[in-house]
Amino acid sequence: MIKNYLKIAFRKLWKNKVHTAINMVGLAVAFGSSILLYLTASYEFSYDTFHKDADRVYCLYFNTADKGGKQEYSAAMAYPLTPVLKTEYPEVEAVTSYSWGAGELTYQEKKFEKTIQTVDADFLKVFSFPLLKGNMNTALADKNNIVISRTTAENIFGKEEPIGKQVLVTLSNEKVPFIVTAVIDDAPKNSTVRYDALIRTEKNPGYEPIKDRWTSQNHQVYVKLAANTTQASAEKRFESLVNKYMKTSEEDAKKAGRLKNARGQYLSLLMMPLKEVHFDEITGWGSGVSKNYIYTLLTIALLIVLIASINFINLTIAKSFTQAKEVGVRKSLGANKGQLFLQGWGEALLVCVVALIAGLGMAYAFLPQFNKLFDSSLSIDNFLIPDNLIISLISFILITLIAGGYPAFVSSRFNIVQVLKGKLTRKKPGVLRNSLIIVQFSISCILISCTLVIFTQLKYLRNKPLGYSKEQVISVPIGNALNNQTAVQQFRNELSKYPGIESVSGSQINFGNGLDGSSSRSTYGFDYYPNASDTKNSKSILTDWVRVDYDFIKTMGIKTIEGRDFSPSYGTDSTALIVTESMLKQMGEKQGVDKFLMPDSSVGKQKIIGVIADFNLYSLRRENRTITLEMAPKGRVNYILIRTGNQNLAESMDLVKNTWKKLVPNQEFKGSFINENVDRWFNKEERLSQIFSLAAGIAIMLSCMGLFAVALMIIEQRTKEIGVRKVLGASIGSIVNLISVDFLKMVGIAFVIATPVAYYAMQKWLQDFANRTDLNWWIFALAGILLVVIALLTVSYQSIRAALMNPVKSLKTE
């Protein structure tokens, strides 16, 4: 019996080749694209879940509020915090600081550029990275110990035993000896915490001057709570820590007129679960991957499968009415509803299985392009994870039960008498079919509208003036390869002989996302006294603080409002400041030059020598702050900035690269143009626009395939009616209009349903941007017009073909 059912199923599918092909192609595309999108989402949600006690590990962050009550967050912590947590708070089982850095490892004249993190001794207790060699309790016990990753050990030592060997780490241009005490496994790709080597926090070059300052915050802190401690109780206990050690910060907030935060405090020390750090968008220290982005991927995957399933249901139900007599005969021969259902569902299952196999093949074939397009790192191993296999199998069974089971259920309930008399009718013909088509095109319209809004926002961000000239400026990360105090001058001396180089400067912070992947932010808060004799009336200042080198304004093409740039001609510029226009507003001054600020009492008063136009130092997603520039010879300048007047950009880059190789022959060059760095700010929006574009394209293709097939069947059912109308004098235009108008009505209803949904979704999405475009009506109107044109083109072909048919052929079948 099963063999006969299979034969019948194959014969039916072959007989209806067009509908079978539409169903199989549609489902295969839906399965393939949905599998890739689901695996991407699954991979993102897997970040940091591999740690043994991940549910007890947290990243600390501060919560404050500004004068308007807007909530502000920061994950930058002070060095005194970790010892206080370890000694005074028993609910904290382990605690470690974590600071990112790149450095050079040297062993027997061999040099390696590696990511060297500064951490505390508890690092290996907080995180459960597998320890391959060494003792977890003593690996970082001494300040001169170093722990290296498996890959680093292989690179440096090969097959040689690494434990006990001495390596040199370049810190502040000085090679410091360390003893290798342990080897840990490489961090998985889905780990927020990354490393090539680990050394103690005390060895950080900037540690000593600020090790006791609670106001100097420049690194992350992770804690592991005791098993019987909850997040809420720990955060409550941290209130006493803030009151005891950070009273000054609270008082400054009150004086500045800041409001209390959502917890009713001026300053709160809170904890973010480790599993949420990857999705951290509020502190600026996480990966910045929004959970909404991941949910969007899952939603798109679901919508694509839904559209393909709607096609399957519509076509299968429609064909079941043309094959109703077969069902009637089977019932008259004794077949029950269950047998008819299983046969119908079996045919659907056969189509779905073939489509799934094809979809898996498509997903595997397009995996490299998918990874490249969406900056992902998926592999076949991600699909073979048991959880993913189980979820995929359950989802497939549900889809076949809904998409294939419902049509089988409908056909199994046909009335045998009406079927055999040829009088089978439905009480509401086409209601389900039309409703499903409306759903399909509503989804397509939403995706088209979202795509257009994202493209518009992306264009707005790319075209928004940044306040500086980003073209023809090269940024070169210094790292530990050169002396940070002399690197800019070295480059200036080397490049001064080339007429194509206009100026050379340096900056503590990069513009955009450079190839080194590093980002940082230094913020100062202090009081400004407009009248030196009046020490009671002050203004609270909050500003981004950036150390730069000479010719910074000239190199970056920033407009000077008042005063001048830093210059080696003035010896006093070593402690001078340049501020932005918005800084003057904070100060309450109309002119800034010759005014004095005192952000640090140990440095003393610093004179303002220039006022410049506001510029965007950080991503346009964030709200721009005031900026203060300091010319500090002893300060750390991390990037060399080179403006070139040469129109041949490749030639300019080669010149800078050759200069780097001359000065640092053994170090990798990571220079890049600032306009490219700025473009990387928008990588997430770019990927989202690409995902929506592809999703909209797939949704439209599947919807059109379904619409084409439904139109074909409707025309087949109305062949004789069309023939009669032509005999009675109906024109081709009237017949095309007769067939097309019903479909266009459905598209119009879909547009009315989809527009408010798309508007609401995009309005919520745009709220994440400090700088955003307006939601113009024409975007949604354009989406509607595109939808109508696509539907009209899809239906018109079959409509015109039916209208041109010879009525004699369509009527003589009687």
Side-chain angles (χ1 to χ4, degrees), residues 63-65 242 249-255 257-261 263-268:
N63 175 209
T64 58
V242 172
S249 299
E250 288 189 291
E251 292 173 354
D252 289 343
K254 292 178 185 178
K255 287 173 62 178
R258 286 173 165 263
L259 300 180
K260 292 184 178 180
N261 61 23
R263 298 172 68 92
Q265 299 162 347
Y266 287 103
L267 180 66
S268 300

PDB file of all heavy atoms in Angstrom, residues 63-65 242 249-255 257-261 263-268:
ATOM      1  N   ASN A  63      25.626  53.804  36.667  1.00  0.00           N
ATOM      2  CA  ASN A  63      24.408  54.418  36.129  1.00  0.00           C
ATOM      3  C   ASN A  63      24.210  55.785  36.787  1.00  0.00           C
ATOM      4  O   ASN A  63      24.177  55.906  38.011  1.00  0.00           O
ATOM      5  CB  ASN A  63      23.204  53.510  36.412  1.00  0.00           C
ATOM      6  CG  ASN A  63      21.876  54.130  36.003  1.00  0.00           C
ATOM      7  OD1 ASN A  63      20.842  53.837  36.588  1.00  0.00           O
ATOM      8  ND2 ASN A  63      21.869  54.992  34.997  1.00  0.00           N
ATOM      9  N   THR A  64      24.153  56.831  35.950  1.00  0.00           N
ATOM     10  CA  THR A  64      23.887  58.187  36.418  1.00  0.00           C
ATOM     11  C   THR A  64      22.797  58.788  35.536  1.00  0.00           C
ATOM     12  O   THR A  64      22.262  58.123  34.645  1.00  0.00           O
ATOM     13  CB  THR A  64      25.155  59.060  36.333  1.00  0.00           C
ATOM     14  OG1 THR A  64      25.611  59.077  34.962  1.00  0.00           O
ATOM     15  CG2 THR A  64      26.261  58.525  37.225  1.00  0.00           C
ATOM     16  N   ALA A  65      22.465  60.048  35.784  1.00  0.00           N
ATOM     17  CA  ALA A  65      21.496  60.761  34.948  1.00  0.00           C
ATOM     18  C   ALA A  65      21.997  62.188  34.741  1.00  0.00           C
ATOM     19  O   ALA A  65      22.649  62.763  35.622  1.00  0.00           O
ATOM     20  CB  ALA A  65      20.116  60.762  35.601  1.00  0.00           C
ATOM     21  N   VAL A 242      29.703  52.866  47.198  1.00  0.00           N
ATOM     22  CA  VAL A 242      29.619  54.176  46.531  1.00  0.00           C
ATOM     23  C   VAL A 242      29.637  55.289  47.575  1.00  0.00           C
ATOM     24  O   VAL A 242      30.339  56.296  47.420  1.00  0.00           O
ATOM     25  CB  VAL A 242      28.357  54.249  45.652  1.00  0.00           C
ATOM     26  CG1 VAL A 242      28.160  55.664  45.111  1.00  0.00           C
ATOM     27  CG2 VAL A 242      28.445  53.259  44.499  1.00  0.00           C
ATOM     28  N   SER A 249      32.099  62.023  43.866  1.00  0.00           N
ATOM     29  CA  SER A 249      31.380  61.943  42.585  1.00  0.00           C
ATOM     30  C   SER A 249      29.905  62.272  42.773  1.00  0.00           C
ATOM     31  O   SER A 249      29.301  62.964  41.942  1.00  0.00           O
ATOM     32  CB  SER A 249      31.533  60.551  41.977  1.00  0.00           C
ATOM     33  OG  SER A 249      32.889  60.268  41.715  1.00  0.00           O
ATOM     34  N   GLU A 250      29.322  61.803  43.871  1.00  0.00           N
ATOM     35  CA  GLU A 250      27.915  62.102  44.150  1.00  0.00           C
ATOM     36  C   GLU A 250      27.724  63.595  44.417  1.00  0.00           C
ATOM     37  O   GLU A 250      26.767  64.208  43.917  1.00  0.00           O
ATOM     38  CB  GLU A 250      27.440  61.292  45.361  1.00  0.00           C
ATOM     39  CG  GLU A 250      27.269  59.820  45.086  1.00  0.00           C
ATOM     40  CD  GLU A 250      26.597  59.092  46.234  1.00  0.00           C
ATOM     41  OE1 GLU A 250      27.232  58.974  47.294  1.00  0.00           O
ATOM     42  OE2 GLU A 250      25.436  58.681  46.073  1.00  0.00           O
ATOM     43  N   GLU A 251      28.620  64.175  45.190  1.00  0.00           N
ATOM     44  CA  GLU A 251      28.523  65.602  45.493  1.00  0.00           C
ATOM     45  C   GLU A 251      28.694  66.453  44.243  1.00  0.00           C
ATOM     46  O   GLU A 251      28.000  67.454  44.047  1.00  0.00           O
ATOM     47  CB  GLU A 251      29.571  65.968  46.544  1.00  0.00           C
ATOM     48  CG  GLU A 251      29.283  65.366  47.911  1.00  0.00           C
ATOM     49  CD  GLU A 251      30.423  65.601  48.887  1.00  0.00           C
ATOM     50  OE1 GLU A 251      31.471  66.122  48.455  1.00  0.00           O
ATOM     51  OE2 GLU A 251      30.266  65.248  50.082  1.00  0.00           O
ATOM     52  N   ASP A 252      29.612  66.035  43.355  1.00  0.00           N
ATOM     53  CA  ASP A 252      29.809  66.765  42.104  1.00  0.00           C
ATOM     54  C   ASP A 252      28.549  66.705  41.243  1.00  0.00           C
ATOM     55  O   ASP A 252      28.193  67.681  40.570  1.00  0.00           O
ATOM     56  CB  ASP A 252      30.991  66.178  41.328  1.00  0.00           C
ATOM     57  CG  ASP A 252      32.326  66.499  41.991  1.00  0.00           C
ATOM     58  OD1 ASP A 252      32.345  67.411  42.837  1.00  0.00           O
ATOM     59  OD2 ASP A 252      33.320  65.834  41.652  1.00  0.00           O
ATOM     60  N   ALA A 253      27.888  65.551  41.251  1.00  0.00           N
ATOM     61  CA  ALA A 253      26.660  65.404  40.466  1.00  0.00           C
ATOM     62  C   ALA A 253      25.564  66.330  40.985  1.00  0.00           C
ATOM     63  O   ALA A 253      24.831  66.955  40.213  1.00  0.00           O
ATOM     64  CB  ALA A 253      26.183  63.951  40.513  1.00  0.00           C
ATOM     65  N   LYS A 254      25.460  66.446  42.299  1.00  0.00           N
ATOM     66  CA  LYS A 254      24.465  67.345  42.892  1.00  0.00           C
ATOM     67  C   LYS A 254      24.774  68.793  42.537  1.00  0.00           C
ATOM     68  O   LYS A 254      23.887  69.553  42.136  1.00  0.00           O
ATOM     69  CB  LYS A 254      24.453  67.180  44.418  1.00  0.00           C
ATOM     70  CG  LYS A 254      23.929  65.849  44.913  1.00  0.00           C
ATOM     71  CD  LYS A 254      24.007  65.780  46.441  1.00  0.00           C
ATOM     72  CE  LYS A 254      23.606  64.413  46.956  1.00  0.00           C
ATOM     73  NZ  LYS A 254      23.729  64.329  48.430  1.00  0.00           N
ATOM     74  N   LYS A 255      26.043  69.185  42.669  1.00  0.00           N
ATOM     75  CA  LYS A 255      26.440  70.560  42.363  1.00  0.00           C
ATOM     76  C   LYS A 255      26.195  70.889  40.894  1.00  0.00           C
ATOM     77  O   LYS A 255      25.878  72.025  40.541  1.00  0.00           O
ATOM     78  CB  LYS A 255      27.920  70.757  42.699  1.00  0.00           C
ATOM     79  CG  LYS A 255      28.210  70.829  44.191  1.00  0.00           C
ATOM     80  CD  LYS A 255      29.706  70.863  44.455  1.00  0.00           C
ATOM     81  CE  LYS A 255      30.349  72.081  43.850  1.00  0.00           C
ATOM     82  NZ  LYS A 255      31.801  72.154  44.145  1.00  0.00           N
ATOM     83  N   GLY A 257      23.828  69.967  39.149  1.00  0.00           N
ATOM     84  CA  GLY A 257      22.405  70.021  38.827  1.00  0.00           C
ATOM     85  C   GLY A 257      21.878  68.756  38.178  1.00  0.00           C
ATOM     86  O   GLY A 257      20.803  68.741  37.580  1.00  0.00           O
ATOM     87  N   ARG A 258      22.652  67.669  38.281  1.00  0.00           N
ATOM     88  CA  ARG A 258      22.198  66.406  37.708  1.00  0.00           C
ATOM     89  C   ARG A 258      21.037  65.827  38.516  1.00  0.00           C
ATOM     90  O   ARG A 258      20.944  66.049  39.727  1.00  0.00           O
ATOM     91  CB  ARG A 258      23.348  65.394  37.669  1.00  0.00           C
ATOM     92  CG  ARG A 258      24.380  65.684  36.593  1.00  0.00           C
ATOM     93  CD  ARG A 258      25.576  64.762  36.714  1.00  0.00           C
ATOM     94  NE  ARG A 258      26.377  64.794  35.506  1.00  0.00           N
ATOM     95  CZ  ARG A 258      26.292  63.912  34.511  1.00  0.00           C
ATOM     96  NH1 ARG A 258      25.433  62.924  34.591  1.00  0.00           N
ATOM     97  NH2 ARG A 258      27.042  64.020  33.445  1.00  0.00           N
ATOM     98  N   LEU A 259      20.182  65.097  37.847  1.00  0.00           N
ATOM     99  CA  LEU A 259      19.045  64.472  38.511  1.00  0.00           C
ATOM    100  C   LEU A 259      19.418  63.072  38.985  1.00  0.00           C
ATOM    101  O   LEU A 259      20.441  62.515  38.575  1.00  0.00           O
ATOM    102  CB  LEU A 259      17.860  64.405  37.548  1.00  0.00           C
ATOM    103  CG  LEU A 259      17.348  65.740  36.997  1.00  0.00           C
ATOM    104  CD1 LEU A 259      16.184  65.502  36.054  1.00  0.00           C
ATOM    105  CD2 LEU A 259      16.948  66.685  38.127  1.00  0.00           C
ATOM    106  N   LYS A 260      18.583  62.504  39.834  1.00  0.00           N
ATOM    107  CA  LYS A 260      18.800  61.133  40.284  1.00  0.00           C
ATOM    108  C   LYS A 260      18.445  60.171  39.151  1.00  0.00           C
ATOM    109  O   LYS A 260      17.608  60.457  38.307  1.00  0.00           O
ATOM    110  CB  LYS A 260      17.954  60.841  41.525  1.00  0.00           C
ATOM    111  CG  LYS A 260      18.407  61.608  42.760  1.00  0.00           C
ATOM    112  CD  LYS A 260      17.584  61.209  43.979  1.00  0.00           C
ATOM    113  CE  LYS A 260      18.079  61.944  45.238  1.00  0.00           C
ATOM    114  NZ  LYS A 260      17.294  61.567  46.439  1.00  0.00           N
ATOM    115  N   ASN A 261      19.100  59.015  39.172  1.00  0.00           N
ATOM    116  CA  ASN A 261      18.850  58.037  38.117  1.00  0.00           C
ATOM    117  C   ASN A 261      17.573  57.243  38.387  1.00  0.00           C
ATOM    118  O   ASN A 261      16.820  57.554  39.321  1.00  0.00           O
ATOM    119  CB  ASN A 261      20.057  57.101  37.958  1.00  0.00           C
ATOM    120  CG  ASN A 261      20.347  56.308  39.237  1.00  0.00           C
ATOM    121  OD1 ASN A 261      19.477  56.118  40.080  1.00  0.00           O
ATOM    122  ND2 ASN A 261      21.583  55.848  39.362  1.00  0.00           N
ATOM    123  N   ARG A 263      17.084  54.536  39.764  1.00  0.00           N
ATOM    124  CA  ARG A 263      17.070  53.881  41.069  1.00  0.00           C
ATOM    125  C   ARG A 263      16.963  54.890  42.211  1.00  0.00           C
ATOM    126  O   ARG A 263      17.056  54.515  43.373  1.00  0.00           O
ATOM    127  CB  ARG A 263      18.330  53.029  41.246  1.00  0.00           C
ATOM    128  CG  ARG A 263      18.457  51.904  40.227  1.00  0.00           C
ATOM    129  CD  ARG A 263      19.814  51.225  40.329  1.00  0.00           C
ATOM    130  NE  ARG A 263      19.974  50.490  41.575  1.00  0.00           N
ATOM    131  CZ  ARG A 263      19.685  49.201  41.740  1.00  0.00           C
ATOM    132  NH1 ARG A 263      19.210  48.508  40.714  1.00  0.00           N
ATOM    133  NH2 ARG A 263      19.877  48.597  42.888  1.00  0.00           N
ATOM    134  N   GLY A 264      16.818  56.169  41.869  1.00  0.00           N
ATOM    135  CA  GLY A 264      16.700  57.204  42.880  1.00  0.00           C
ATOM    136  C   GLY A 264      18.013  57.595  43.507  1.00  0.00           C
ATOM    137  O   GLY A 264      18.045  58.098  44.637  1.00  0.00           O
ATOM    138  N   GLN A 265      19.121  57.367  42.794  1.00  0.00           N
ATOM    139  CA  GLN A 265      20.455  57.683  43.313  1.00  0.00           C
ATOM    140  C   GLN A 265      21.204  58.549  42.299  1.00  0.00           C
ATOM    141  O   GLN A 265      20.911  58.521  41.104  1.00  0.00           O
ATOM    142  CB  GLN A 265      21.242  56.387  43.562  1.00  0.00           C
ATOM    143  CG  GLN A 265      20.572  55.466  44.588  1.00  0.00           C
ATOM    144  CD  GLN A 265      21.105  54.042  44.503  1.00  0.00           C
ATOM    145  OE1 GLN A 265      21.783  53.675  43.553  1.00  0.00           O
ATOM    146  NE2 GLN A 265      20.781  53.243  45.508  1.00  0.00           N
ATOM    147  N   TYR A 266      22.193  59.281  42.789  1.00  0.00           N
ATOM    148  CA  TYR A 266      23.016  60.072  41.876  1.00  0.00           C
ATOM    149  C   TYR A 266      24.050  59.204  41.171  1.00  0.00           C
ATOM    150  O   TYR A 266      24.468  59.511  40.057  1.00  0.00           O
ATOM    151  CB  TYR A 266      23.712  61.205  42.641  1.00  0.00           C
ATOM    152  CG  TYR A 266      22.770  62.314  43.038  1.00  0.00           C
ATOM    153  CD1 TYR A 266      22.307  62.425  44.349  1.00  0.00           C
ATOM    154  CD2 TYR A 266      22.320  63.230  42.089  1.00  0.00           C
ATOM    155  CE1 TYR A 266      21.433  63.440  44.715  1.00  0.00           C
ATOM    156  CE2 TYR A 266      21.448  64.249  42.444  1.00  0.00           C
ATOM    157  CZ  TYR A 266      21.009  64.348  43.758  1.00  0.00           C
ATOM    158  OH  TYR A 266      20.138  65.345  44.100  1.00  0.00           O
ATOM    159  N   LEU A 267      24.478  58.136  41.833  1.00  0.00           N
ATOM    160  CA  LEU A 267      25.453  57.225  41.239  1.00  0.00           C
ATOM    161  C   LEU A 267      25.188  55.814  41.738  1.00  0.00           C
ATOM    162  O   LEU A 267      25.146  55.575  42.951  1.00  0.00           O
ATOM    163  CB  LEU A 267      26.884  57.655  41.617  1.00  0.00           C
ATOM    164  CG  LEU A 267      28.027  56.788  41.073  1.00  0.00           C
ATOM    165  CD1 LEU A 267      28.098  56.878  39.558  1.00  0.00           C
ATOM    166  CD2 LEU A 267      29.363  57.211  41.690  1.00  0.00           C
ATOM    167  N   SER A 268      25.012  54.880  40.812  1.00  0.00           N
ATOM    168  CA  SER A 268      24.761  53.482  41.180  1.00  0.00           C
ATOM    169  C   SER A 268      25.800  52.585  40.525  1.00  0.00           C
ATOM    170  O   SER A 268      26.121  52.754  39.344  1.00  0.00           O
ATOM    171  CB  SER A 268      23.364  53.046  40.715  1.00  0.00           C
ATOM    172  OG  SER A 268      22.358  53.843  41.303  1.00  0.00           O
TER     173      SER A 268
END
